[in-house]
Short mmCIF file of all heavy atoms in Angstrom, two decimals:
data_model
loop_
_atom_site.label_atom_id
_atom_site.label_comp_id
_atom_site.label_asym_id
_atom_site.label_seq_id
_atom_site.Cartn_x
_atom_site.Cartn_y
_atom_site.Cartn_z
N LEU Y 6 -1.21 -49.16 -13.07
CA LEU Y 6 -0.59 -48.09 -13.85
C LEU Y 6 0.61 -48.68 -14.59
O LEU Y 6 1.44 -49.34 -13.99
CB LEU Y 6 -0.12 -46.97 -12.93
CG LEU Y 6 0.57 -45.82 -13.67
CD1 LEU Y 6 -0.45 -44.81 -14.16
CD2 LEU Y 6 1.60 -45.13 -12.81
N VAL Y 8 3.69 -47.64 -17.24
CA VAL Y 8 4.46 -46.67 -18.00
C VAL Y 8 5.13 -47.48 -19.10
O VAL Y 8 5.89 -48.41 -18.82
CB VAL Y 8 5.51 -46.00 -17.10
CG1 VAL Y 8 6.48 -45.17 -17.92
CG2 VAL Y 8 4.83 -45.14 -16.05
N ILE Y 11 8.18 -44.86 -22.40
CA ILE Y 11 8.10 -43.41 -22.62
C ILE Y 11 9.49 -42.78 -22.74
O ILE Y 11 10.45 -43.21 -22.12
CB ILE Y 11 7.32 -42.67 -21.49
CG1 ILE Y 11 7.91 -42.98 -20.11
CG2 ILE Y 11 5.86 -43.03 -21.52
CD1 ILE Y 11 7.34 -42.07 -19.03
N LYS Y 47 13.01 -38.29 -11.97
CA LYS Y 47 11.88 -38.75 -11.16
C LYS Y 47 10.67 -37.80 -11.27
O LYS Y 47 9.55 -38.24 -11.54
CB LYS Y 47 12.31 -38.88 -9.68
CG LYS Y 47 13.55 -39.75 -9.48
CD LYS Y 47 13.99 -39.79 -8.04
CE LYS Y 47 14.48 -38.47 -7.46
NZ LYS Y 47 15.73 -37.96 -8.04
N SER Y 48 10.94 -36.53 -11.06
CA SER Y 48 9.82 -35.56 -11.13
C SER Y 48 9.26 -35.49 -12.55
O SER Y 48 8.05 -35.31 -12.74
CB SER Y 48 10.29 -34.18 -10.69
OG SER Y 48 10.75 -34.22 -9.36
N THR Y 49 10.16 -35.62 -13.52
CA THR Y 49 9.69 -35.59 -14.91
C THR Y 49 8.77 -36.78 -15.18
O THR Y 49 7.74 -36.64 -15.87
CB THR Y 49 10.90 -35.60 -15.87
OG1 THR Y 49 11.77 -34.53 -15.51
CG2 THR Y 49 10.46 -35.43 -17.30
N VAL Y 50 9.10 -37.94 -14.62
CA VAL Y 50 8.22 -39.11 -14.78
C VAL Y 50 6.84 -38.81 -14.18
O VAL Y 50 5.81 -39.10 -14.79
CB VAL Y 50 8.85 -40.35 -14.11
CG1 VAL Y 50 7.83 -41.48 -13.98
CG2 VAL Y 50 10.06 -40.83 -14.92
N PHE Y 51 6.81 -38.18 -13.02
CA PHE Y 51 5.52 -37.80 -12.42
C PHE Y 51 4.75 -36.86 -13.35
O PHE Y 51 3.55 -37.03 -13.56
CB PHE Y 51 5.76 -37.09 -11.07
CG PHE Y 51 5.80 -38.03 -9.89
CD1 PHE Y 51 5.96 -39.40 -10.08
CD2 PHE Y 51 5.66 -37.54 -8.60
CE1 PHE Y 51 6.00 -40.27 -8.98
CE2 PHE Y 51 5.70 -38.39 -7.50
CZ PHE Y 51 5.87 -39.76 -7.69
N ASN Y 52 5.47 -35.89 -13.90
CA ASN Y 52 4.80 -34.95 -14.80
C ASN Y 52 4.26 -35.63 -16.04
O ASN Y 52 3.23 -35.25 -16.58
CB ASN Y 52 5.76 -33.82 -15.20
CG ASN Y 52 5.98 -32.84 -14.06
OD1 ASN Y 52 5.15 -32.70 -13.18
ND2 ASN Y 52 7.13 -32.17 -14.08
N LEU Y 53 4.98 -36.68 -16.50
CA LEU Y 53 4.53 -37.42 -17.68
C LEU Y 53 3.32 -38.28 -17.35
O LEU Y 53 2.42 -38.46 -18.18
CB LEU Y 53 5.67 -38.29 -18.23
CG LEU Y 53 6.82 -37.51 -18.87
CD1 LEU Y 53 8.05 -38.40 -19.06
CD2 LEU Y 53 6.38 -36.92 -20.20
N ILE Y 54 3.27 -38.79 -16.13
CA ILE Y 54 2.13 -39.62 -15.75
C ILE Y 54 0.87 -38.77 -15.57
O ILE Y 54 -0.20 -39.11 -16.05
CB ILE Y 54 2.43 -40.39 -14.43
CG1 ILE Y 54 3.53 -41.42 -14.66
CG2 ILE Y 54 1.16 -41.08 -13.92
CD1 ILE Y 54 4.01 -42.13 -13.39
N CYS Y 55 1.03 -37.62 -14.91
CA CYS Y 55 -0.18 -36.86 -14.58
C CYS Y 55 -0.60 -35.89 -15.68
O CYS Y 55 -1.60 -35.21 -15.56
CB CYS Y 55 -0.03 -36.14 -13.25
SG CYS Y 55 0.78 -34.57 -13.38
N GLY Y 56 0.15 -35.83 -16.77
CA GLY Y 56 -0.30 -35.05 -17.92
C GLY Y 56 0.24 -33.64 -18.00
O GLY Y 56 -0.07 -32.91 -18.94
N VAL Y 57 1.04 -33.23 -17.03
CA VAL Y 57 1.65 -31.90 -17.10
C VAL Y 57 2.58 -31.84 -18.31
O VAL Y 57 2.66 -30.83 -19.01
CB VAL Y 57 2.44 -31.58 -15.82
CG1 VAL Y 57 3.21 -30.29 -15.96
CG2 VAL Y 57 1.49 -31.49 -14.63
N LEU Y 58 3.28 -32.95 -18.54
CA LEU Y 58 4.12 -33.08 -19.74
C LEU Y 58 3.60 -34.25 -20.55
O LEU Y 58 3.06 -35.20 -20.00
CB LEU Y 58 5.57 -33.35 -19.35
CG LEU Y 58 6.33 -32.27 -18.59
CD1 LEU Y 58 7.68 -32.82 -18.12
CD2 LEU Y 58 6.52 -31.05 -19.46
N LYS Y 59 3.76 -34.16 -21.86
CA LYS Y 59 3.40 -35.29 -22.71
C LYS Y 59 4.68 -35.98 -23.16
O LYS Y 59 5.66 -35.31 -23.49
CB LYS Y 59 2.60 -34.80 -23.93
CG LYS Y 59 1.23 -34.23 -23.57
CD LYS Y 59 0.29 -35.30 -23.02
CE LYS Y 59 -1.01 -34.70 -22.48
NZ LYS Y 59 -1.78 -35.66 -21.67
N PRO Y 60 4.68 -37.32 -23.17
CA PRO Y 60 5.90 -38.01 -23.63
C PRO Y 60 6.13 -37.78 -25.12
O PRO Y 60 5.19 -37.58 -25.87
CB PRO Y 60 5.59 -39.48 -23.34
CG PRO Y 60 4.12 -39.58 -23.11
CD PRO Y 60 3.63 -38.24 -22.72
N VAL Y 65 1.30 -43.85 -21.27
CA VAL Y 65 1.01 -44.20 -19.89
C VAL Y 65 -0.41 -44.72 -19.84
O VAL Y 65 -1.31 -44.13 -20.45
CB VAL Y 65 1.15 -42.96 -18.97
CG1 VAL Y 65 0.80 -43.32 -17.53
CG2 VAL Y 65 2.54 -42.37 -19.06
N ILE Y 66 -0.59 -45.85 -19.18
CA ILE Y 66 -1.92 -46.45 -19.14
C ILE Y 66 -2.37 -46.56 -17.69
O ILE Y 66 -1.67 -47.15 -16.85
CB ILE Y 66 -1.90 -47.86 -19.78
CG1 ILE Y 66 -1.44 -47.74 -21.23
CG2 ILE Y 66 -3.29 -48.50 -19.72
CD1 ILE Y 66 -0.95 -49.04 -21.81
N LEU Y 67 -3.50 -45.97 -17.39
CA LEU Y 67 -4.05 -46.04 -16.03
C LEU Y 67 -5.33 -46.85 -16.06
O LEU Y 67 -6.30 -46.45 -16.70
CB LEU Y 67 -4.31 -44.62 -15.50
CG LEU Y 67 -4.99 -44.53 -14.13
CD1 LEU Y 67 -4.10 -45.08 -13.03
CD2 LEU Y 67 -5.39 -43.10 -13.82
N LEU Y 72 -3.54 -42.51 -21.31
CA LEU Y 72 -3.70 -41.15 -20.83
C LEU Y 72 -3.23 -40.07 -21.81
O LEU Y 72 -3.44 -38.90 -21.59
CB LEU Y 72 -2.94 -40.96 -19.50
CG LEU Y 72 -3.34 -41.89 -18.35
CD1 LEU Y 72 -2.57 -41.54 -17.09
CD2 LEU Y 72 -4.84 -41.84 -18.09
N SER Y 73 -2.63 -40.50 -22.92
CA SER Y 73 -1.96 -39.54 -23.81
C SER Y 73 -2.82 -38.34 -24.21
O SER Y 73 -2.32 -37.22 -24.27
CB SER Y 73 -1.51 -40.24 -25.08
OG SER Y 73 -0.93 -41.47 -24.77
N ASP Y 74 -4.11 -38.58 -24.51
CA ASP Y 74 -4.92 -37.48 -25.04
C ASP Y 74 -5.70 -36.74 -23.95
O ASP Y 74 -6.50 -35.86 -24.25
CB ASP Y 74 -5.90 -38.00 -26.09
CG ASP Y 74 -5.15 -38.58 -27.28
OD1 ASP Y 74 -4.06 -38.06 -27.59
OD2 ASP Y 74 -5.64 -39.55 -27.86
N LEU Y 75 -5.47 -37.12 -22.70
CA LEU Y 75 -6.26 -36.50 -21.64
C LEU Y 75 -5.53 -35.31 -21.02
O LEU Y 75 -4.30 -35.25 -21.01
CB LEU Y 75 -6.57 -37.53 -20.55
CG LEU Y 75 -7.34 -38.78 -21.02
CD1 LEU Y 75 -7.65 -39.69 -19.85
CD2 LEU Y 75 -8.63 -38.39 -21.73
N THR Y 76 -6.30 -34.37 -20.52
CA THR Y 76 -5.71 -33.20 -19.86
C THR Y 76 -5.39 -33.56 -18.41
O THR Y 76 -5.82 -34.59 -17.89
CB THR Y 76 -6.69 -32.02 -19.83
OG1 THR Y 76 -7.84 -32.41 -19.07
CG2 THR Y 76 -7.12 -31.62 -21.22
N VAL Y 77 -4.64 -32.68 -17.76
CA VAL Y 77 -4.28 -32.89 -16.35
C VAL Y 77 -5.53 -33.11 -15.50
O VAL Y 77 -5.59 -34.03 -14.68
CB VAL Y 77 -3.49 -31.67 -15.81
CG1 VAL Y 77 -3.22 -31.82 -14.32
CG2 VAL Y 77 -2.17 -31.52 -16.57
N SER Y 78 -6.55 -32.28 -15.72
CA SER Y 78 -7.73 -32.41 -14.86
C SER Y 78 -8.52 -33.67 -15.18
O SER Y 78 -9.12 -34.27 -14.29
CB SER Y 78 -8.61 -31.16 -14.92
OG SER Y 78 -8.98 -30.87 -16.22
N GLU Y 79 -8.52 -34.08 -16.44
CA GLU Y 79 -9.21 -35.33 -16.78
C GLU Y 79 -8.52 -36.53 -16.15
O GLU Y 79 -9.16 -37.47 -15.68
CB GLU Y 79 -9.28 -35.51 -18.31
CG GLU Y 79 -10.34 -34.63 -18.95
CD GLU Y 79 -10.18 -34.51 -20.47
OE1 GLU Y 79 -9.09 -34.84 -20.99
OE2 GLU Y 79 -11.13 -34.09 -21.12
N ILE Y 80 -7.20 -36.48 -16.15
CA ILE Y 80 -6.43 -37.58 -15.53
C ILE Y 80 -6.68 -37.58 -14.02
O ILE Y 80 -6.91 -38.62 -13.41
CB ILE Y 80 -4.93 -37.45 -15.87
CG1 ILE Y 80 -4.72 -37.68 -17.37
CG2 ILE Y 80 -4.10 -38.44 -15.05
CD1 ILE Y 80 -3.32 -37.38 -17.87
N ALA Y 81 -6.67 -36.38 -13.44
CA ALA Y 81 -6.94 -36.28 -12.00
C ALA Y 81 -8.33 -36.82 -11.67
O ALA Y 81 -8.52 -37.51 -10.66
CB ALA Y 81 -6.82 -34.83 -11.54
N ALA Y 82 -9.28 -36.50 -12.55
CA ALA Y 82 -10.65 -36.95 -12.30
C ALA Y 82 -10.78 -38.47 -12.37
O ALA Y 82 -11.75 -39.05 -11.89
CB ALA Y 82 -11.61 -36.31 -13.31
N ARG Y 83 -9.80 -39.14 -12.98
CA ARG Y 83 -9.82 -40.60 -13.01
C ARG Y 83 -9.22 -41.20 -11.75
O ARG Y 83 -8.93 -42.39 -11.71
CB ARG Y 83 -9.07 -41.12 -14.24
CG ARG Y 83 -9.89 -40.98 -15.49
CD ARG Y 83 -9.15 -41.50 -16.70
NE ARG Y 83 -10.07 -41.84 -17.76
CZ ARG Y 83 -10.81 -40.98 -18.44
NH1 ARG Y 83 -10.75 -39.71 -18.15
NH2 ARG Y 83 -11.63 -41.38 -19.37
N GLY Y 84 -8.98 -40.36 -10.76
CA GLY Y 84 -8.55 -40.88 -9.46
C GLY Y 84 -7.06 -40.80 -9.22
O GLY Y 84 -6.54 -41.45 -8.32
N LEU Y 85 -6.37 -40.00 -10.04
CA LEU Y 85 -4.93 -39.85 -9.82
C LEU Y 85 -4.65 -38.57 -9.04
O LEU Y 85 -5.10 -37.49 -9.41
CB LEU Y 85 -4.19 -39.84 -11.16
CG LEU Y 85 -2.66 -39.80 -11.04
CD1 LEU Y 85 -2.04 -40.80 -11.99
CD2 LEU Y 85 -2.10 -38.41 -11.33
N GLY Y 86 -3.94 -38.72 -7.94
CA GLY Y 86 -3.57 -37.56 -7.15
C GLY Y 86 -2.06 -37.42 -7.14
O GLY Y 86 -1.35 -38.42 -7.24
N ARG Y 87 -1.57 -36.20 -7.05
CA ARG Y 87 -0.12 -36.02 -6.98
C ARG Y 87 0.23 -34.78 -6.16
O ARG Y 87 -0.58 -33.87 -6.04
CB ARG Y 87 0.49 -35.87 -8.36
CG ARG Y 87 0.19 -34.52 -8.97
CD ARG Y 87 1.15 -34.14 -10.06
NE ARG Y 87 2.52 -34.00 -9.58
CZ ARG Y 87 3.53 -33.62 -10.35
NH1 ARG Y 87 3.33 -33.39 -11.62
NH2 ARG Y 87 4.74 -33.50 -9.85
N THR Y 88 1.43 -34.77 -5.61
CA THR Y 88 1.95 -33.55 -5.00
C THR Y 88 3.17 -33.13 -5.81
O THR Y 88 3.70 -33.91 -6.60
CB THR Y 88 2.36 -33.76 -3.54
OG1 THR Y 88 3.46 -34.68 -3.50
CG2 THR Y 88 1.20 -34.30 -2.72
N PHE Y 89 3.61 -31.90 -5.58
CA PHE Y 89 4.76 -31.38 -6.32
C PHE Y 89 5.98 -31.29 -5.41
O PHE Y 89 5.85 -31.13 -4.20
CB PHE Y 89 4.42 -29.99 -6.88
CG PHE Y 89 3.41 -30.03 -7.99
CD1 PHE Y 89 2.05 -30.03 -7.71
CD2 PHE Y 89 3.82 -30.09 -9.31
CE1 PHE Y 89 1.11 -30.08 -8.72
CE2 PHE Y 89 2.89 -30.14 -10.34
CZ PHE Y 89 1.53 -30.13 -10.05
N GLN Y 167 -4.96 -33.63 -1.48
CA GLN Y 167 -5.17 -34.83 -2.29
C GLN Y 167 -5.99 -35.87 -1.53
O GLN Y 167 -6.85 -36.52 -2.11
CB GLN Y 167 -3.83 -35.42 -2.73
CG GLN Y 167 -3.09 -34.57 -3.75
CD GLN Y 167 -3.83 -34.44 -5.06
OE1 GLN Y 167 -4.68 -35.26 -5.40
NE2 GLN Y 167 -3.53 -33.39 -5.81
N ARG Y 170 -9.79 -36.07 -1.66
CA ARG Y 170 -10.39 -36.59 -2.89
C ARG Y 170 -10.45 -38.10 -2.92
O ARG Y 170 -10.94 -38.68 -3.89
CB ARG Y 170 -9.59 -36.15 -4.11
CG ARG Y 170 -9.26 -34.70 -4.18
CD ARG Y 170 -8.28 -34.43 -5.31
NE ARG Y 170 -8.79 -34.96 -6.56
CZ ARG Y 170 -8.06 -35.59 -7.46
NH1 ARG Y 170 -6.78 -35.76 -7.26
NH2 ARG Y 170 -8.60 -36.05 -8.55
N ILE Y 174 -4.92 -43.61 -6.87
CA ILE Y 174 -3.46 -43.72 -6.93
C ILE Y 174 -2.87 -42.37 -6.56
O ILE Y 174 -3.33 -41.33 -7.04
CB ILE Y 174 -2.98 -44.21 -8.31
CG1 ILE Y 174 -1.45 -44.23 -8.35
CG2 ILE Y 174 -3.54 -43.38 -9.45
CD1 ILE Y 174 -0.90 -45.02 -9.52
N LEU Y 175 -1.88 -42.41 -5.68
CA LEU Y 175 -1.32 -41.17 -5.15
C LEU Y 175 0.17 -41.11 -5.42
O LEU Y 175 0.90 -42.06 -5.10
CB LEU Y 175 -1.60 -41.11 -3.64
CG LEU Y 175 -1.20 -39.84 -2.88
CD1 LEU Y 175 -1.86 -38.62 -3.48
CD2 LEU Y 175 -1.60 -39.97 -1.42
N LEU Y 176 0.62 -40.02 -6.05
CA LEU Y 176 2.02 -39.83 -6.38
C LEU Y 176 2.58 -38.71 -5.50
O LEU Y 176 2.12 -37.58 -5.59
CB LEU Y 176 2.19 -39.43 -7.86
CG LEU Y 176 2.14 -40.50 -8.95
CD1 LEU Y 176 0.88 -41.34 -8.87
CD2 LEU Y 176 2.27 -39.87 -10.32
N ILE Y 207 2.87 -44.22 -5.33
CA ILE Y 207 4.23 -44.08 -5.87
C ILE Y 207 4.86 -42.91 -5.13
O ILE Y 207 4.31 -41.81 -5.13
CB ILE Y 207 4.26 -43.79 -7.38
CG1 ILE Y 207 3.43 -44.84 -8.15
CG2 ILE Y 207 5.71 -43.78 -7.88
CD1 ILE Y 207 3.48 -44.65 -9.65
N LEU X 183 -2.30 -24.93 -12.29
CA LEU X 183 -1.84 -26.31 -12.33
C LEU X 183 -2.28 -27.07 -11.08
O LEU X 183 -2.77 -28.19 -11.15
CB LEU X 183 -0.32 -26.35 -12.48
CG LEU X 183 0.28 -27.75 -12.63
CD1 LEU X 183 -0.38 -28.52 -13.76
CD2 LEU X 183 1.78 -27.65 -12.86
N ALA X 184 -2.13 -26.42 -9.93
CA ALA X 184 -2.56 -27.07 -8.69
C ALA X 184 -4.07 -27.34 -8.73
O ALA X 184 -4.53 -28.38 -8.24
CB ALA X 184 -2.20 -26.20 -7.48
N GLN X 186 -5.81 -27.88 -11.45
CA GLN X 186 -6.03 -28.97 -12.40
C GLN X 186 -5.70 -30.33 -11.79
O GLN X 186 -6.35 -31.32 -12.08
CB GLN X 186 -5.18 -28.76 -13.65
CG GLN X 186 -5.74 -27.72 -14.58
CD GLN X 186 -4.77 -27.40 -15.69
OE1 GLN X 186 -3.62 -27.04 -15.43
NE2 GLN X 186 -5.20 -27.54 -16.91
N THR X 187 -4.68 -30.36 -10.94
CA THR X 187 -4.30 -31.66 -10.37
C THR X 187 -5.29 -32.14 -9.32
O THR X 187 -5.17 -33.24 -8.82
CB THR X 187 -2.89 -31.64 -9.74
OG1 THR X 187 -2.80 -30.57 -8.84
CG2 THR X 187 -1.81 -31.53 -10.78
N VAL X 188 -6.28 -31.31 -8.96
CA VAL X 188 -7.37 -31.85 -8.17
C VAL X 188 -8.64 -31.93 -9.03
O VAL X 188 -9.76 -31.91 -8.52
CB VAL X 188 -7.63 -31.08 -6.85
CG1 VAL X 188 -6.55 -31.41 -5.83
CG2 VAL X 188 -7.71 -29.59 -7.08
N GLY X 189 -8.43 -31.99 -10.33
CA GLY X 189 -9.53 -32.31 -11.24
C GLY X 189 -10.40 -31.14 -11.67
O GLY X 189 -11.46 -31.35 -12.25
#
Side-chain angles (χ1 to χ4, degrees):
Chain Y
L6 179 86
V8 170
I11 55 169
K47 307 177 294 294
S48 299
T49 306
V50 167
F51 270 16
N52 286 335
L53 290 166
I54 293 174
C55 85
V57 173
L58 295 172
K59 293 293 172 194
V65 178
I66 301 161
L67 175 66
L72 302 184
S73 316
D74 297 327
L75 302 183
T76 62
V77 175
S78 56
E79 284 165 343
I80 293 172
R83 283 180 159 67
L85 184 134
R87 73 159 297 182
T88 65
F89 290 85
Q167 290 296 338
R170 311 171 54 221
I174 177 165
L175 184 57
L176 280 54
I207 307 183
Chain X
L183 184 54
Q186 283 172 305
T187 52
V188 285

